[in-house]
């Protein structure tokens, strides 16, 4: 074969390989610098972006080193990009006055994007009960909408998983606990905020979620009037009143106004309340010791004042 023919053959192979390499390069995810102004939150994003101490540290890090982990976003039909993962980093970048951030752009359908959004955020260390509740619900709905994925949603006997079993397995929770968290999404905002603020415990809140909106508002009024948080047994009794059609404000107030033995025997001061009076490096035992000494001094002053008053009366 003439030499020129060999060159033609080699050139053809180079074109083939170059074309394949180009195709792979197109399919490979690329990190792009996207203007912060073109990034929008995920629809009904259940996780709160707070300007707390953690955000302050994130802003300081981004100001010094930039955004090290790219955000994940998908194109929006109306323009710009919807954030799937990285809402906190985007907000921190805004506070750090960055114009652009690194983003991996993916074309994802709603259910897959929702699942990725939830899973990426559930890795956070601190998650409020309300955040977990709405996140689990969104992921459940997304999995159910993936009807074609029988490996996740089929109810057939075998290795198939129900939607709630899939969410439970991914999150390390029991299926029952996932369902209980989802129940919290039925609470009115005022009650759900109290759960986040630990003014109402998780288990009583689950029972109260069976009340309708009007009943929950009545409960809130009764709780405020009694100045008591519900115990689990009280919440169960209030739920039973509603189920039996015997729910009214007076009945709920009477339940909430009952004295709890544990409250008569125990005084609790929240850690965050005490911390503002002590250096950050003080241990609970050191704080307790100082509190006892101050109480002893207070009691001694009261006794001295009482004794002085008695002497003056003689």
């Amino acid at each position: 074969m003439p030499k020129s023919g060999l060159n033609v053959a080699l050139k053809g192979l180079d074109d083939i390989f170059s074309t394949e390499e180009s195709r792979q390069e197109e399919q490979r995810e690329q990190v792009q610098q996207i203007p912060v102004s073109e990034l929008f939150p995920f629809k009904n994003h259940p996780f709160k972006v707070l300007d707390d101490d953690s955000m302050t540290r994130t802003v300081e890090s981004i100001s010094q080193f930039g955004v090290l982990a790219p955000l994940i976003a998908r194109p929006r039909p109306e323009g710009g990009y919807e954030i799937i993962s990285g809402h906190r980093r985007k907000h921190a970048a805004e506070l750090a006055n960055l114009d652009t951030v690194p983003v991996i752009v993916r074309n994802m359908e709603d259910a897959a994007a929702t699942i990725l959004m939830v899973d990426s955020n559930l890795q956070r260390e601190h998650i409020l009960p309300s955040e977990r509740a709405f996140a689990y619900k969104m992921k459940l709905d997304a999995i159910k909408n993936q009807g074609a994925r029988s490996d996740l949603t089929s109810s057939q006997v075998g290795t198939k998983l129900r939607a709630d079993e899939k969410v439970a397995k991914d999150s390390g929770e029991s299926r029952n606990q996932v369902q209980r968290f989802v129940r919290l999404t039925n609470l009115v905002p005022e009650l759900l905020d109290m759960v986040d603020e630990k003014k109402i415990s998780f288990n009583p809140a689950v029972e109260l979620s069976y009340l309708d909106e009007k009943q929950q508002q009545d409960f809130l009024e009764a709780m405020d009037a009694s100045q008591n948080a519900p115990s689990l047994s009280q919440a169960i009794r209030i739920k039973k009143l509603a189920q039996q059609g015997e729910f009214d404000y007076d009945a709920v107030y009477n339940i909430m106004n009952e004295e709890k033995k544990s409250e008569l025997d125990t005084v609790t001061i929240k850690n965050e309340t005490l911390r503002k009076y002590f250096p950050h490096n003080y241990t609970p035992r050191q704080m307790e010791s100082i509190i006892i000494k101050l109480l002893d001094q207070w009691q001694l002053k009261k006794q001295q004042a009482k004794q002085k008053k008695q002497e003056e009366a003689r």
Side-chain angles (χ1 to χ4, degrees):
M1 177 182 291
K3 188 175 181 180
S4 60
L6 179 60
N7 288 338
V8 171
L10 289 174
K11 184 177 180 181
L13 290 174
D14 287 341
D15 288 342
I16 292 173
F17 284 121
S18 295
T19 303
E20 177 62 24
E21 183 177 321
S22 298
R23 281 198 294 266
Q24 290 180 1
E25 186 66 26
E26 289 174 1
Q27 294 174 1
R28 193 176 297 125
E29 289 185 327
Q30 299 292 314
V31 177
Q32 307 176 35
Q33 288 294 328
I34 302 291
V36 172
S37 60
E38 294 183 16
L39 294 167
F40 299 88
F42 197 90
K43 183 179 180 181
N44 297 324
H45 187 249
F47 298 94
K48 298 177 181 178
V49 178
L50 303 175
D51 289 321
D52 51 14
D53 291 341
S54 177
M55 179 59 68
T56 300
R57 292 191 295 271
T58 302
V59 173
E60 291 173 352
S61 175
I62 286 177
S63 297
Q64 185 174 0
F65 303 108
V67 178
L68 300 179
L71 287 68
I72 300 176
R74 61 174 180 167
R76 301 195 318 163
E78 61 271 42
Y81 303 87
E82 182 180 44
I83 302 171
I84 297 173
S85 174
H87 291 77
R88 295 184 75 256
R89 277 166 283 163
K90 184 255 187 179
H91 182 60
E94 287 179 313
L95 295 178
N97 297 317
L98 298 188
D99 295 326
T100 65
V101 290
V103 180
I104 294 173
V105 178
R106 292 181 185 172
N107 290 300
M108 302 184 73
E109 51 92 22
D110 290 345
T114 298
I115 292 171
L116 178 58
M117 180 274 295
V118 170
D119 287 347
S120 62
N121 279 280
L122 285 177
Q123 306 304 315
R124 286 163 40 188
E125 184 178 356
H126 300 292
I127 302 176
L128 295 172
S130 64
E131 295 176 319
R132 194 176 295 276
F134 282 102
Y136 284 167
K137 186 176 189 302
M138 288 182 72
K139 185 172 180 178
L140 276 172
D141 292 341
I143 292 175
K144 290 174 182 177
N145 289 335
Q146 289 183 322
R149 296 187 62 184
S150 60
D151 60 315
L152 300 184
T153 58
S154 174
S155 60
Q156 296 177 8
V157 177
T159 59
K160 313 299 184 184
L161 295 178
R162 290 171 35 148
D164 52 3
E165 290 174 338
K166 171 63 177 170
V167 174
K169 182 179 179 182
D170 290 346
S171 60
E173 303 267 19
S174 68
R175 181 164 62 89
N176 180 59
Q177 188 70 347
V178 167
Q179 293 172 338
R180 287 163 61 76
F181 266 108
V182 173
R183 284 292 328 166
L184 296 185
T185 63
N186 294 292
L187 291 174
V188 296
E190 298 93 327
L191 271 176
L192 194 52
D193 287 343
M194 289 184 175
V195 180
D196 284 344
E197 296 163 3
K198 298 182 180 179
K199 294 178 180 177
I200 297 179
S201 299
F202 176 79
N203 289 329
V206 172
E207 301 302 322
L208 296 172
S209 71
Y210 289 90
L211 306 180
D212 63 33
E213 185 174 344
K214 174 63 168 60
Q215 291 169 339
Q216 289 185 43
Q217 293 294 345
D218 286 344
F219 164 79
L220 279 168
E221 291 184 19
M223 178 180 169
D224 182 61
S226 66
Q227 291 294 295
N228 282 322
S231 65
L232 177 57
S233 63
Q234 286 175 321
I236 291 173
R237 289 161 60 195
I238 292 169
K239 171 187 170 185
K240 189 174 182 180
L241 287 178
Q243 291 174 332
Q244 295 175 339
E246 299 173 358
F247 183 102
D248 62 37
Y249 173 86
D250 290 337
V252 174
Y253 175 79
N254 288 335
I255 291 175
M256 290 302 301
N257 206 37
E258 296 170 349
E259 288 185 320
K260 306 183 185 75
K261 185 178 186 301
S262 61
E263 291 178 352
L264 295 174
D265 297 339
T266 305
V267 175
T268 301
I269 304 177
K270 293 183 178 180
N271 190 49
E272 57 265 29
T273 302
L274 291 175
R275 280 294 175 191
K276 62 184 179 181
Y277 299 106
F278 294 93
H280 291 299
N281 61 339
Y282 271 45
T283 66
R285 186 178 293 276
Q286 288 174 311
M287 290 191 291
E288 179 183 359
S289 176
I290 290 177
I291 290 171
I292 295 300
K293 289 179 181 177
L294 291 173
L295 288 173
D296 286 340
Q297 293 173 7
W298 175 65
Q299 186 179 45
L300 179 61
K301 286 182 179 180
K302 283 183 63 179
Q303 291 174 345
Q304 291 172 341
K306 182 178 180 181
Q307 184 177 357
K308 183 179 179 180
K309 188 174 182 180
Q310 289 174 342
E311 291 175 353
E312 290 175 348
R314 289 173 184 170

